[in-house]
Amino acid sequence: MEKHNVLQDLIEGQITDEQAEDILSEILTDMSRIVPVHEALGMSRQEWTAYAHGVEFQEIANWRAHGWPNQCFVCGQPIVVKDFGWLARKHEGRMQLKHVVCPEAG
């Protein structure tokens, strides 16, 4: 199976969010796949984690192109996306990030 870069394709307008979902379905049903799903989609572990938390492909593509949320919507402290320790959750009508455990203020 060929590798994809679904987020870049979304950024460039080459596919829709629904087509990205179809590509994911094809990858998941390919029993000969030897690479992890996120790699077959051209996604980082952080991007795949956000998808697993319910963030749609198009929104993750937007984060890739324009920057990830980097502040916890609960405590206001910075979130370092590459270090994990965050959850993607809907807040004020859009997907945002929050710490798994907010750091102590101080």
Side-chain angles (χ1 to χ4, degrees), residues 30-37 39:
D30 179 9
M31 299 308 284
S32 67
R33 175 179 41 85
I34 57 173
V35 298
V37 174
E39 288 181 19

Side-chain angles (χ1 to χ4, degrees), residues 20-31:
E21 292 286 346
D22 291 343
I23 292 167
L24 172 59
S25 293
E26 289 174 23
I27 290 169
L28 290 174
T29 58
D30 179 9
M31 299 308 284

Side-chain angles (χ1 to χ4, degrees), residues 4-90:
H4 297 273
N5 193 333
V6 294
L7 299 180
Q8 192 61 41
D9 290 347
L10 282 164
I11 291 166
E12 295 173 4
Q14 295 177 9
I15 63 172
T16 65
D17 206 59
E18 294 77 24
Q19 289 169 314
E21 292 286 346
D22 291 343
I23 292 167
L24 172 59
S25 293
E26 289 174 23
I27 290 169
L28 290 174
T29 58
D30 179 9
M31 299 308 284
S32 67
R33 175 179 41 85
I34 57 173
V35 298
V37 174
H38 73 278
E39 288 181 19
L41 291 168
M43 296 173 72
S44 69
R45 288 179 48 234
Q46 293 85 355
E47 290 165 340
W48 182 241
T49 299
Y51 179 80
H53 289 185
V55 184
E56 294 183 6
F57 283 122
Q58 186 64 57
E59 181 127 20
I60 301 167
N62 186 53
W63 291 355
R64 180 188 277 187
H66 303 289
W68 279 61
N70 60 4
Q71 186 174 344
C72 176
F73 68 79
V74 174
C75 72
Q77 294 295 311
I79 289 179
V80 180
V81 174
K82 69 177 180 61
D83 292 344
F84 291 95
W86 49 264
L87 301 168
R89 296 291 185 261
K90 187 162 264 191

